[in-house]
Amino acid sequence: AIMWSSFGLRGTIPFSSWGVALWGRYDAPLARLDEGPRAAISSASLGFGIAHRFAGERAGLELSLDPSLAILVMEQQVERESDPHEEGARAVLRVGAGVRGYYRFSSVLRAVASLDGELSPQNVSSPIRIAPLLPPVPVYTFGASIGLEAAIP
């Protein structure tokens, strides 16, 4: 298992209580939680989403469905770069879902907390490996975040 750090951008076009989004995210490992094969790994995702918002006066809740395409890059870590090692990249389709709560401070600024997860359906029955000596591509991800969000009124 790996603990990830992510940076993402999401643009949403609202209509009524619904919204459609285009988003991108870059993921890099923060910590390795097991003793698996040593490998450098990173991921970049591009996706679209559809969301439904349940909005109150200052607070609200948003549920989303977010399919995406992720490109995972792995390289076996060795003592010297000149040593033989395995590396490669793989495209993976994912289906994500999330719940976001927010509290509006003004017409532009709001606090946001979210929980989300992704599943790679083609990877469930047999783990995908980029190369034999590299760890398998993650089957699922789960995330939590808090932050501030700026909206264009």
Side-chain angles (χ1 to χ4, degrees), residues 7 35 39 51 55-56 58 67-68 77-78 88 99 115-116 125 145:
F7 172 78
E35 295 296 322
R58 296 186 72 78
S68 65
Q77 292 179 325
V78 292
V99 59
L115 296 174
D116 60 70
S125 60
S145 64

Side-chain angles (χ1 to χ4, degrees), residues 58-110:
R58 296 186 72 78
L61 187 68
E62 181 178 288
L63 304 175
S64 66
L65 182 63
D66 300 299
S68 65
L69 174 67
I71 306 296
L72 285 99
V73 178
M74 289 188 193
E75 181 176 8
Q76 184 181 10
Q77 292 179 325
V78 292
E79 292 294 320
R80 295 181 305 271
E81 185 65 29
S82 61
D83 289 346
H85 63 281
E86 298 206 8
E87 62 185 358
R90 182 78 185 245
V92 179
L93 294 174
R94 294 181 173 163
V95 178
V99 59
R100 296 170 24 139
Y102 63 88
Y103 180 80
R104 188 180 317 275
F105 295 116
S106 69
S107 63
V108 175
L109 189 64
R110 61 187 180 186

